[in-house]
Amino acid sequence: EPEVTQTPSHQVTQMGQEVILRCVPISNHLYFYWYRQILGQKVEFLVSFYNNEISEKSEIFDDQFSVERPDGSNFTLKIRSTKLEDSAMYFCASSRLGNTEAFFGQGTRLTVV
Amino acid sequence: GNSVTQMEGPVTLSEEAFLTINCTYTATGYPSLFWYVQYPGEGLQLLLKATKADDKGSNKGFEATYRKETTSFHLEKGSVQVSDSAVYFCALSDRGTASKLTFGTGTRLQVTL
């Protein structure tokens, strides 16, 4: 069964460093998303991406964040200069269309020290 | 803005016990409502959904009814199994779609023999 794959499963980085979280969405899906969950808090929407551009973003998704689909299979989330408060579980998701079920990856746990 | 409130966990039940996980929401208009489940080491999986008032979503023995009058979408199962141990997330989308979901904090369910 097709699935969304995220790598790495756990990343530890020093404050101020850049990190790139990687996702391989389901191959025939057209819409891509990033969500995050800070420990003990709610899963929060960050950004949606369609047709090689951001279609919607939340207020959390500031200039420190960027997304990219560098080739036909990967979808990445970059955090330019990590802060302690960026420590969270980051979930990638994809959907075939904008109004169909979103399939989620297993998440990348980011720890900023 | 939209919000989802779930009962706090963890919820610990014996096998074959009855399960209820409460979920209430705040949203404008007529949102679609979802329950997602996350098994250990896996991504978020859609468990069930309801798109309009009085709809009942069901899957794998789980049920939830969209109650507009009480703005609730409580998850129930008549007889839980050890394999149901997971984290359960209530979510809504005000677009009638599965994109840009607003999640609750999640409720961890532990089922013991």
Side-chain angles (χ1 to χ4, degrees), chain B:
Chain B
N2 297 337
S3 68
V4 174
T5 302
Q6 286 181 240
M7 62 187 290
E8 293 208 13
V11 174
T12 303
L13 294 173
S14 298
E15 200 169 45
E16 299 183 2
F18 184 85
L19 168 71
T20 300
I21 299 178
N22 289 337
C23 171
T24 57
Y25 67 89
T26 303
T28 54
Y30 302 93
S32 294
L33 302 174
F34 307 86
W35 276 100
Y36 279 81
V37 58
Q38 185 178 30
Y39 298 104
E42 298 184 19
L44 296 166
Q45 300 173 26
L46 180 63
L47 180 60
L48 53 85
K49 67 180 181 182
T51 57
K52 60 183 188 295
D54 300 325
D55 266 4
K56 178 186 284 188
S58 62
N59 186 25
K60 299 182 181 180
F62 290 89
E63 292 183 341
T65 301
Y66 189 140
R67 301 284 188 203
K68 188 163 172 32
E69 64 277 13
T70 54
T71 62
S72 64
F73 192 56
H74 305 321
L75 182 68
E76 297 182 335
K77 187 175 185 182
S79 176
V80 294
Q81 305 300 311
V82 171
S83 57
D84 293 327
S85 299
V87 181
Y88 293 82
F89 294 88
C90 185
L92 70 82
S93 171
D94 61 6
R95 316 277 176 84
T97 75
S99 62
K100 199 183 180 202
L101 296 157
T102 299
F103 282 90
T105 50
T107 302
R108 181 174 299 278
L109 171 66
Q110 182 72 44
V111 181
T112 59
L113 289 170

Side-chain angles (χ1 to χ4, degrees), chain A residues 5 8 15 18 21 24 30-31 39 47 61 69 88 95 99 110:
Chain A
T5 306
M15 191 168 52
E18 174 184 285
L21 308 183
V24 179
L30 301 177
Y31 290 78
L39 189 62
V47 66
F61 195 87
R69 188 153 160 81
S95 62
N99 61 350
L110 176 66

